[in-house]
Amino acid sequence: MTSPIHVDRPPAAGSGPLFNAADWTFPTMQRVFEAIEEIAVGELGLEVFPNQIEIISAEQMLDAYCSIGMPLMYAHWSFGKKFVRDETLYRKGYQALAYEIVINSNPCISYYMEENTMAMQTLVLAHAAFGHNHFYKNNYLFQQWTDPDGILDYLDFAKHYVAECEERHGFGAVESVLDAAHALMNQGMFRYKRPAKLKMGEYERRRRERLQHEARTYSDLWRTVPNASPQGEPTLSEQEARERKRRLRLPEENLLYFLEKTSPVLQDWQRELLRIVRNLAQYFYPQRQTKVMNEGCATFVHYTIVNRLFDKGLISEGALLEILHSHSNVVFQPPFDDPRYGGMNPYALGFAMMQDIERICMAPTPEDREWFPDIAGNGDWCGTLKHVWANYRDESFIRQFLSPNLIRRFKLFVLSDKAADPQYRIEAIHDDEGYRRVRNALADSYDVTAAEPDIQVVDVDLLGNRQLVLRHDARNGVGLGPRSRDQVLAHIRTLWGYDVRLEEPAAEIDEIST
């Protein structure tokens, strides 16, 4: 069920709440949207994409869940499997559904559950339509690495392309390529080189030009007939092999990109499938780097707006209490010995840090002035937060703004576990040096690049059996798990067509620390 949001002026402050009943209606949502927009844009100065709001059922929300939250997603068996799992847990009461899902697109599309009460619709309107929306539009990672104008067109292209491949080549053939590509999704991104944005207007033209270029250069790249040469000098084939390796630009960290461009066995339609999965992985990469900031920004925005609505008399005390009850559940951080503990809650940490920055700007302590001399007492919490939302990711945000006050409040410390040491060690407590070590340790845990295996293509036997050589550089002495390693290598062999060897220096895997 979908409805556009029309503009009806909200009642003036003091004329009474915008709603009293628990059930929502489209006219009521229109009035609340306008009231929220007046605060978000008019008072806070948030910059947002135009909003497209859709009300969906629980089944439609489950459908969005299973397709990684994207509309127009192509078909794959794993999405159906996840749908059945989530639906079963939801029907039996073991799992709740999100109040909303929001898409980084222009217009910014938000999906809200039809079961939400009007108070909850007020919360999610402020949270998604203005909190997440502002973050998507202004954070530098999303500006540099994603194209909200083109993502929906690209998803539409990908969905129809996969369907055409299934019809032309069979479900099994397409499934085999997508299974392998999905397994390598986290190794299918450029982490340092910014990719070109998806512009569908010229995408088809560039695709045709790319296929023509690959058809012209492919056979020359894999020509392997050896030539004779004087003894002691490189043969002509060896010289050509060196040149081909130079053209392959090894080492290469983006495994999907390398396989798409150089696999000797893939057909054009299979390379296009790899490119689709690779582009989607790249699109989601900024979201993985900003989970704490993104949720913290949206939570802080909805908390600020609903309190402002209450101050203006536009929502009742009962509606505010219902909203704050849900808000408290969202930002709850279980202690480490609680059965519900699953690591740091990004909503709790992000929201607490946003509130802490507001406090430092408006009412700093002597400790705050020592740790944050640039922002302590500047009186501009809103401008400071908008600067932070625009210019940081989780790792740099925590390293820069996690205060001793919050470290004490969350009772954080550093626990060391090294293979060579028979005992755990507390390496940082609540003193000046300990605060810095805690902050750096927590920031390091949000470094997505450091948390994933560093696997690169380092060599290809172009003159012999075409064996692909990969290398894994262990970080902190942590090696690859043998089971997942063998499964992933099997997927790489499927896409490469020949043997694949993984090198993992044993000398680097001798000590484990956390």
Side-chain angles (χ1 to χ4, degrees):
M1 183 164 45
T2 304
S3 174
I5 295 294
H6 301 291
V7 177
D8 284 346
R9 300 304 302 172
S15 62
L18 293 168
F19 60 90
N20 288 303
D23 294 336
W24 62 269
T25 63
F26 283 116
T28 307
M29 286 193 65
Q30 292 164 12
R31 292 196 300 274
V32 171
F33 178 87
E34 285 302 313
I36 291 174
E37 185 178 41
E38 190 169 300
I39 297 171
V41 178
E43 297 182 17
L44 300 180
L46 302 185
E47 300 174 12
V48 296
F49 293 121
N51 278 291
Q52 178 179 329
I53 296 167
E54 304 197 12
I55 308 299
I56 62 176
S57 65
E59 186 163 331
Q60 289 172 311
M61 182 63 81
L62 284 165
D63 193 48
Y65 263 30
C66 73
S67 56
I68 52 178
M70 299 299 287
L72 302 173
M73 196 65 180
Y74 58 78
H76 186 256
W77 65 268
S78 62
F79 301 152
K81 177 184 175 182
K82 190 172 189 307
F83 179 90
V84 172
R85 173 188 175 277
D86 289 345
E87 183 188 37
T88 302
L89 293 175
Y90 173 68
R91 302 296 179 201
K92 291 183 176 296
Y94 296 130
Q95 174 178 301
L97 298 181
Y99 299 126
E100 46 75 29
I101 285 181
V102 57
I103 308 300
N104 172 27
S105 61
N106 184 14
C108 184
I109 303 175
S110 304
Y111 298 93
Y112 302 158
M113 290 276 284
E114 64 179 355
E115 288 89 349
N116 292 344
T117 64
M118 190 56 233
M120 288 308 303
Q121 300 292 31
T122 303
L123 183 151
V124 294
L125 275 171
H127 184 94
F130 293 94
H132 283 306
N133 193 342
H134 172 84
F135 192 82
Y136 287 144
K137 186 174 183 180
N138 294 277
N139 183 264
Y140 80 102
L141 286 174
F142 290 90
Q143 288 183 345
Q144 293 181 356
W145 294 75
T146 66
D147 180 17
D149 295 325
I151 184 60
L152 295 180
D153 287 338
Y154 188 75
L155 287 173
D156 183 60
F157 158 77
K159 181 176 182 178
H160 287 91
Y161 189 84
V162 171
E164 290 174 6
C165 289
E166 290 173 339
E167 185 175 346
R168 185 175 302 171
H169 305 286
F171 288 97
V174 173
E175 185 177 292
S176 175
V177 176
L178 288 180
D179 285 352
H182 287 176
L184 299 173
M185 217 167 173
N186 287 345
Q187 304 296 327
M189 298 164 298
F190 295 109
R191 294 180 172 81
Y192 307 104
K193 182 176 69 175
R194 190 173 63 190
K197 293 187 175 182
L198 309 175
K199 294 295 185 183
M200 286 306 299
E202 57 178 326
Y203 184 79
E204 280 298 323
R205 179 184 61 79
R206 293 177 60 185
R207 190 170 76 91
R208 288 193 296 271
E209 292 178 354
R210 184 170 58 245
L211 292 176
Q212 292 171 359
H213 172 75
E214 290 172 353
R216 289 195 304 270
T217 59
Y218 178 75
S219 58
D220 180 65
L221 181 67
W222 290 103
R223 182 156 48 86
T224 59
V225 178
N227 296 318
S229 66
Q231 188 172 7
E233 296 183 7
T235 64
L236 181 58
S237 294
E238 288 171 340
Q239 295 173 10
E240 290 176 348
R242 292 176 184 173
E243 175 60 18
R244 284 195 288 267
K245 289 179 182 178
R246 186 189 65 79
R247 290 169 58 187
L248 290 174
R249 299 178 181 178
L250 298 179
E252 173 60 60
E253 64 161 357
N254 191 330
L255 299 188
L256 281 181
Y257 176 79
F258 181 84
L259 293 168
E260 170 200 326
K261 295 298 181 185
T262 61
S263 171
V265 298
L266 293 183
Q267 300 177 34
D268 290 341
W269 66 272
Q270 294 170 315
R271 297 178 196 278
E272 191 65 39
L273 291 180
L274 292 193
R275 189 173 296 112
I276 288 171
V277 175
R278 181 168 62 81
N279 283 334
L280 290 179
Q282 197 76 61
Y283 178 80
F284 284 109
Y285 191 47
Q287 299 203 28
R288 295 170 54 203
Q289 297 182 82
T290 57
K291 182 70 174 176
V292 171
M293 289 195 67
N294 197 353
E295 297 299 351
C297 169
T299 305
F300 181 86
V301 166
H302 84 229
Y303 182 81
T304 304
I305 287 177
V306 296
N307 278 283
R308 182 70 180 130
L309 286 173
F310 179 73
D311 292 341
K312 295 173 72 172
L314 297 177
I315 60 173
S316 66
E317 191 172 81
L320 179 65
L321 290 175
E322 181 182 347
I323 291 171
L324 293 182
H325 175 73
S326 297
H327 168 85
S328 300
N329 290 335
V330 168
V331 300
F332 173 64
Q333 174 62 60
F336 75 95
D337 54 351
D338 190 300
R340 295 166 293 179
Y341 180 77
M344 293 297 294
N345 177 357
Y347 293 85
L349 181 61
F351 177 67
M353 290 187 66
M354 305 301 174
Q355 278 197 316
D356 200 45
I357 290 173
E358 180 185 19
R359 180 191 61 79
I360 293 171
C361 291
M362 304 305 295
T365 64
E367 181 183 60
D368 296 325
R369 293 188 183 279
E370 178 184 350
W371 280 72
F372 305 99
D374 295 337
I375 65 172
N378 67 8
D380 183 17
W381 62 267
C382 191
T384 303
L385 281 174
K386 284 192 287 186
H387 171 78
V388 170
W389 295 335
N391 295 288
Y392 289 83
R393 57 177 177 166
D394 287 349
E395 179 263 337
S396 57
F397 171 60
I398 293 171
R399 201 179 301 279
Q400 182 72 24
F401 292 103
L402 183 65
S403 70
N405 173 57
L406 272 188
I407 291 174
R408 291 191 294 268
R409 179 176 152 191
F410 278 92
K411 299 180 174 61
L412 301 178
F413 57 91
V414 175
L415 179 67
S416 174
D417 176 18
K418 295 183 178 180
D421 193 336
Q423 297 178 323
Y424 295 110
R425 289 186 183 277
I426 305 297
E427 292 199 339
I429 57 173
H430 294 172
D431 54 24
D432 279 354
E433 179 60 25
Y435 292 137
R436 289 181 171 80
R437 295 193 66 175
V438 169
R439 185 162 72 175
N440 287 334
L442 187 62
D444 289 343
S445 70
Y446 285 93
D447 186 347
V448 174
T449 302
E452 293 177 343
D454 181 13
I455 302 175
Q456 300 187 14
V457 181
V458 294
D459 200 3
V460 182
D461 185 1
L462 295 172
L463 302 179
N465 58 9
R466 295 183 175 179
Q467 184 185 60
L468 184 66
V469 183
L470 310 176
R471 177 187 170 93
H472 172 241
D473 290 324
R475 294 190 178 98
N476 297 323
V478 179
L480 296 173
R483 182 179 178 186
S484 59
R485 177 195 60 199
D486 294 342
Q487 290 175 340
V488 172
L489 287 179
H491 286 302
I492 298 176
R493 289 190 188 96
T494 300
L495 298 176
W496 180 248
Y498 294 90
D499 191 25
V500 179
R501 187 176 84 246
L502 177 67
E503 297 177 347
E504 190 174 27
E508 297 181 4
I509 311 173
D510 56 357
E511 185 175 275
I512 298 177
S513 61
T514 58

